[in-house]
Amino acid sequence: MAHRKLRFLLLLAGLASLNVFAQRPEKPTASEIYHNLQKLNFIGSALYVAAHPDDENTRLISYLANDVKARTAYLSLTRGDGGQNLVGPEIRELLGVIRTQELLQARATDGGSQLFTRANDFGYSKHPDETLAIWNKDEVVSDVVRAIRKWKPDIIINRFNHRNPGTTHGHHTSSAMLSFDTFEMVGDVSQYPESANAYGAWQPKRLFFNTSWWFYGSRENFEKADKTNILEVETGSYYPNLGLSNGEIASLSRSMHKSQGFGSTGTRGERTEYLEFLKGDFPKDKSNLFDGINTTWSRLEGGKAIGDILYAVEKDFDFKNPAASVPKLMEAYGLIQKLKDAHWRDIKAAEITSLIEQCLGLYLEAVADQQSVAPKGSLKVTIEAINRSSIPVSLNSVNSSVISFPTQFAPTPLTRNSKHNMESVEKTFNVIETSAPYWLEQQGTMGMYRVDNKDLIGTPERDANFPVDFNLTIAGKPITITKNIIYKFNDPVKGEVYRPFEVLPPVTSSLPEKVLIFSSVETREIPVIVKAGKENITGTVTLQHPKGWTVQPASHTFALESKGSTQTLVFKVTPPKDRSEGYLKPLVQIGDTFHTKELITIDYDHIPYQSVLIPSQAKVARIPIEKKGENIGYIKGAGDAIPESLEQIGYKVTTIEPSAISLESIKNFDAIVVGIRAYNTVPELEFKQNILNEYVANGGTLLLQYNTSHRLVTDNIAPFHLKLSRDRVTDEYSEVSILAPKHPALNTPNKITELDFEGWVQERGLYFPNEWGDEFTPLLAMHDKDYPETKGSLLIAKHGKGHYIYTGLSFFRELPAGVSGAYRLFANLLSLGQ
């Protein structure tokens, strides 16, 4: 039953958004079809605005989409690139790809749609002034204006308060400020005229702030607050035709944010949401967000006649025979095509087209014979068409702008439950652009992605790149239904598996190690892997390198016969004597064309398979670095690349299974490192901490990386008093003061100075302790501008014969980024006591 309900939820957004794993065709039940028919008959839109994936209130989005039946979108200003990843090692841009897809799955579950701006989640920000300076305020404002004009919401709801800058995440406050500031701006064609020309000016009716007791500091304060301007909306509805409460839908949606560990238990019963009125037309009925807004078909010129048909279809809907509605739906479809309002015409035409398919049980699909093809490559596409109703349907022709189908085609009646197949004329696939995430195609800035194609700005991903038109006659009337080419295969365990069909380069290259640390001047062999995206390709590879470095040979040739095959080419790289940093970049030449991209695939069960193209490169650093000790134990946390980074400088790293921790099993490690957020995510540590403490007492070194103060598996993470806080330093350029210059961790075997804190990325660190026992020595002090100094970033205590280290410094970002000083400091920490 649970699986059945989840499948239903993933179909709720069939008209407004994407179904699960967008390639899979919808197969709705009669109840699901009726739900979509109800949404077809609501002419109104809502927009929810916040900063990141997971900021959205899924209860309110689900309520608006499924109870009110409004066309509802979530505008997330960023793609969540700056966070941490609880499902794998991907961070930064790759994490942004994962979280984009998680948002799409969340919307497919709660019935909403998803929008973005070009803003890059550069990490935690303490104030909107900092946020908007890094983002490029004018460009983000332009994107918010574009999103509102394109979506044309009647109501806008902010997740955060625009009036309290500096009290919460700067991205959060910025999202509310931008929404508040653009409310009137979107109605002025002189403001950002480019999007006004593209989508027209638009004036939303009202703006709300989705407040709660939390924003008032306590439930008591909220109870006492003046609620004259606050609307109360009951969102605990139970939907009998779905068999679920709104809270259960919201929790399933929330649980799609798996990379952030936001699994949520479904709720039932009454639940009130509070919305503070900010701007616009105050509703007379404070329980109805759309009060006074015409959301019927009569809102549109020529819409009354459509409404007369469709309201009757809804009233007389036959759950045993949904196809009985098709003749009237086709009649309404013809009238919708004549609407003067192009915005609603296009939206409702798409919705009713999908609804007609659903009522007929009409199955239309265009399947490629391979998952990816190179630009102008060879491809075969097979279509399947089947009408599972008694309504007359004829397939008149099939055509596509990307591949050819037979032109001599006699109209074919699709008799009930009789399948019709057709193959494309196997020839060149007429697409040049690759289909990987569009916002990663060009080099952006720290705060903004670069998107040259204005039509793509704000969209979650490229959609319907490879259209195939099925030209049909249904109930005597013509209609064209467009399907995107998909790819599917049979998995021995999972059965039918859908994946996106993609256009990818004919060749890609990669360096397996993304950061190469040279602690001496010894020459190292560096492999470059070349991968074929088509058959029979040959070419040469050179390895671009920084000045002062030498690479031998100057080039390699390669020959790859089959698509997907790889060849490893080895270059000998020698660093200079002095400290030096830069990048190695493979340059693959085929004829007169150069290829510089790496293909990375992301494959998790909860999101569609992703192919990502990024510049092929690896950072190289010549770092004069010394270390003591050899054998390091590593306890995995929420996912980072620290073990690989340590192996770069010569450590032998062994993963320790938490359940197997015993004093005997860990006694021979020179040091043990605990991964980020391990004490938030590894329950076994509650019962193993005493053993780890004893390991330290016997002479070992234990290094704990940051944990959040919320939901620790144990409060006793150290042998002495230690209290975590939310203190952090977000400015990676902030000055670092050395508090204990004579401490061994800052002197042996590498002398650490302020110079070692240059070149850090994204932040200094996070979740620093703010209380600790006298046994701890704080080594560093730092602060963001206009914020008090914090001394909790690196704490070391002697315990028995060994050393206990707690650090909130963001080594998990700095080591994979090849930051020299971070490596030197980390080596010193692991060398303590050796």
Side-chain angles (χ1 to χ4, degrees), residues 323-608:
S325 300
V326 169
K328 286 295 183 182
L329 290 174
M330 286 300 299
E331 185 180 344
Y333 170 81
L335 294 175
I336 288 172
Q337 298 296 315
K338 299 176 182 179
L339 286 173
K340 294 182 178 179
D341 187 321
H343 173 74
W344 282 111
R345 181 189 64 216
D346 294 344
I347 292 167
K348 292 304 177 182
E351 289 183 6
I352 198 169
T353 298
S354 181
L355 195 63
I356 290 166
E357 286 184 75
Q358 294 168 9
C359 288
L360 289 169
L362 184 61
Y363 190 91
L364 303 174
E365 197 167 61
V367 182
D369 65 348
Q370 52 197 293
Q371 184 185 345
S372 66
V373 65
K376 296 290 185 179
S378 179
L379 182 73
K380 181 170 69 175
V381 176
T382 302
I383 70 159
E384 178 181 342
I386 182 168
N387 170 25
R388 292 173 285 190
S389 77
S390 299
I391 300 296
V393 178
S394 173
L395 179 61
N396 302 323
S397 64
V398 177
N399 59 276
S400 174
S401 60
V402 297
I403 196 164
S404 296
F405 287 91
T407 55
Q408 301 300 319
F409 185 88
T412 303
L414 297 181
T415 57
R416 182 170 185 167
N417 223 25
S418 178
K419 185 169 67 173
H420 180 80
N421 291 107
M422 179 196 303
E423 289 185 357
S424 62
V425 179
E426 193 168 356
K427 57 179 291 186
T428 300
F429 188 62
N430 188 31
V431 174
I432 297 175
E433 282 190 340
T434 57
S435 48
Y438 70 85
W439 63 94
L440 299 179
E441 286 182 342
Q442 305 291 335
Q443 182 67 42
T445 65
M446 176 181 175
M448 297 293 293
Y449 282 118
R450 175 182 165 185
V451 180
D452 293 339
N453 185 342
K454 303 298 185 184
D455 293 336
L456 289 174
I457 292 176
T459 60
E461 57 185 347
R462 287 189 177 95
D463 188 28
N465 292 325
F466 317 118
V468 174
D469 293 334
F470 293 77
N471 303 305
L472 304 142
T473 299
I474 297 175
K477 293 181 172 61
I479 186 171
T480 295
I481 298 177
T482 301
K483 297 293 181 181
N484 205 40
I485 296 173
I486 55 92
Y487 173 73
K488 65 180 180 180
F489 64 96
N490 184 72
D491 181 271
V493 176
K494 298 178 181 179
E496 188 178 53
V497 175
Y498 282 79
R499 282 187 176 176
F501 169 73
E502 300 166 312
V503 176
L504 298 174
V507 65
T508 54
S509 64
S510 64
L511 291 135
E513 299 292 340
K514 302 309 176 191
V515 176
L516 298 162
I517 306 299
F518 288 74
S519 56
S520 69
V521 294
E522 291 183 6
T523 298
R524 290 170 60 178
E525 292 187 342
I526 306 300
V528 174
I529 301 173
V530 181
K531 183 174 184 178
K534 59 183 296 186
E535 291 77 15
N536 300 317
I537 57 172
T538 60
T540 61
V541 179
T542 56
L543 192 58
Q544 297 177 314
H545 54 83
K547 184 178 180 180
W549 296 65
T550 59
V551 173
Q552 294 293 333
S555 65
H556 276 295
T557 61
F558 70 90
L560 297 167
E561 292 184 3
S562 58
K563 179 180 176 181
S565 62
T566 62
Q567 186 173 341
T568 300
L569 311 172
V570 177
F571 292 87
K572 294 182 177 180
V573 178
T574 306
K577 293 182 179 180
D578 299 326
R579 190 167 175 168
S580 173
E581 295 184 5
Y583 289 90
L584 298 178
K585 299 180 180 181
L587 188 64
V588 183
Q589 183 174 3
I590 301 176
D592 295 330
T593 304
F594 294 91
H595 299 273
T596 61
K597 292 296 181 71
E598 175 182 3
L599 173 63
I600 297 176
T601 58
I602 299 174
D603 190 9
Y604 293 107
D605 285 343
H606 70 293
I607 60 174

Side-chain angles (χ1 to χ4, degrees), residues 738-747 751:
I738 294 177
L739 300 176
K742 296 183 179 181
H743 196 284
L746 300 177
N747 291 277
K751 177 65 177 177

